[in-house]
Amino acid sequence: MEREPLLAQKEQPSSQEDSIPSSLFTHLYVAHFLARWGARMWEFSVGLYMISIWPNSLLFAAIYGVVESSATVLFGSLVGQWVDRLTYVKVLRIWLVVQNLAFIMAGGSVITLLKFSNLKSTNFTSFIFLVILTNLSGAIAVLSTLAGTILIEREWVVVISEGHPPEMLTKMNSIIRRIDLISKLCAPVLTGFIISFVSLTASAVSLALWNCITVWVEYWLFTSVYNGIPALGESSQRRVLRNSPSVVEDSTLISQETECLLSDDKGNSALAEKTCVMSVFGWIPCFDAWRVYFQQDVVLPGLALALLYFSVLSFGSLMTATLEWQGVPAFVIGIARGISAAIGITATVMYPILQSRISTLRTGLWSIWSQWTCLILCLASIFVQNSVLSAYMLMAGVATSRLGLWMFDLAVIQQMQDHVPESDRGVVGGVQNSLQSTLDLMTYVMGIIISNPQDFWKLTLISFFLVTLAALLYTFYLYTVRKHLFHLEKFFMLIRWSIRSPETDDTGKVVSAGP
């Protein structure tokens, strides 16, 4: 049997029974779009910037990926804990200021590197300083974006949907993801045209200007949503009370007393082992956050989703730089990435329909295996001798696989929203992103080791194997929950019915009625 969601078990608050004005939803979605657009512009452009700064090598693109992913690996769970401890308004302010300021600094350093392209030979120290500044600014921007993702997608969406039918959470998740994918669709296309028909420098200038202008609009829109929905203020106050020193001390004291009482029982060897583990590893930063994560029922779907990040089969900086090296124009890469995002948007439309018919669990199963099926085309591109045809097969396989990928992403996120307690949402969200970034980091480490674009086929092969592993892991999880993968009894009933159905001749007369 499937587990009952935690949200369904809670008492529905009376304050949420009144309908929320549609204008507040519009403000939320527009603000989210503005925040995501700048991030998607940078995400697409950074690989092209790096291969332009250091031509004919994936080295700088891979190094940037390592720095960015390492930042999330090291500090992602801390960001999640920080989001849990501060009020919504404080998180909102810090997120927007830091994110936009970091993108402005990154854009400014890239403009300098592109404008003074001879720095590498004339002033190598300044060149390295600007490259380091670009990497650090990008990493800080990604960490602040993570804080915003946890705040909006893991907190606000869940709080707003409480007291409403479960379909509302599914709908909001789909719209939020659709906005992200629309940004992923349009931002690369527009940026690709700027790069192809104006210059790389112009695209960096547009990135810096965008973040200068939109930060004020984003803050006004988000604060109007916060002030207009009382449940957000109530949830923020509960967080403050939950993390106040007196409450923390009381809960710690109760926990210690409970462990002392239980430890008197000689049969509690498991508790003794747990206490021993805590004493050994408790000093490790964020150990408590990881312990909370691995205690969740939905840890296996989270691990399966994280494995999908250990892959170059996406329009990330490594694949983008490789396609550029193969001679594919930037605007074509932008269009291909746009098509990929359009297919992802289709996934956000299909997900609520499929989820309402076959449940969240089975939607995840069908979606991850459909992604695997589409990626077979990428595997086949390895054996094609024509480099242009191989590049287009690679882009086609990646683009079509986004349908399954984004439906699987939504299925796992909704399972976490349903089954993770309110007090652990920020921590679990931070650790999940840290885990994803750890595996994303491994992708860029592979890119450093295998930095020759001619050897990209090796990265493709490894990535396909890891997607297969993720699909098998989720399949195992679903089997442990449902105790079966398919309704074989229905299949056998259909066969039995077809055997027993009466046979007729050409005139429609019954000849036999079966055994």
Side-chain angles (χ1 to χ4, degrees), residues 48-127:
L48 300 177
Y49 295 149
M50 292 303 173
I51 203 166
S52 175
I53 293 168
W54 198 268
N56 300 320
S57 175
L58 300 177
L59 182 63
F60 270 34
I63 289 173
Y64 173 80
V66 167
V67 172
E68 180 186 284
S69 300
S70 298
T72 311
V73 170
L74 295 174
F75 305 112
S77 55
L78 287 176
V79 170
Q81 291 177 324
W82 167 70
V83 170
D84 265 346
R85 290 171 183 170
L86 297 181
T87 63
Y88 287 154
V89 174
K90 285 184 180 178
V91 175
L92 185 65
R93 289 172 180 167
I94 296 172
W95 158 41
L96 292 178
V97 170
V98 173
Q99 181 196 48
N100 287 275
L101 187 60
F103 278 135
I104 291 168
M105 291 176 63
S109 58
V110 166
I111 291 168
T112 307
L113 284 167
L114 295 174
K115 198 71 176 174
F116 302 97
S117 56
N118 60 345
L119 271 179
K120 188 163 49 177
S121 55
T122 60
N123 193 337
F124 191 71
T125 304
S126 298
F127 172 79

Side-chain angles (χ1 to χ4, degrees), residues 349-379:
V349 176
M350 291 182 59
Y351 172 75
I353 301 171
L354 198 60
Q355 187 267 347
S356 65
R357 293 177 181 272
I358 65 172
S359 80
T360 307
L361 276 172
R362 283 189 289 169
T363 300
L365 179 69
W366 289 109
S367 59
I368 193 168
W369 281 109
S370 68
Q371 179 192 2
W372 180 88
T373 303
C374 293
L375 290 177
I376 293 176
L377 188 60
C378 300
L379 191 65

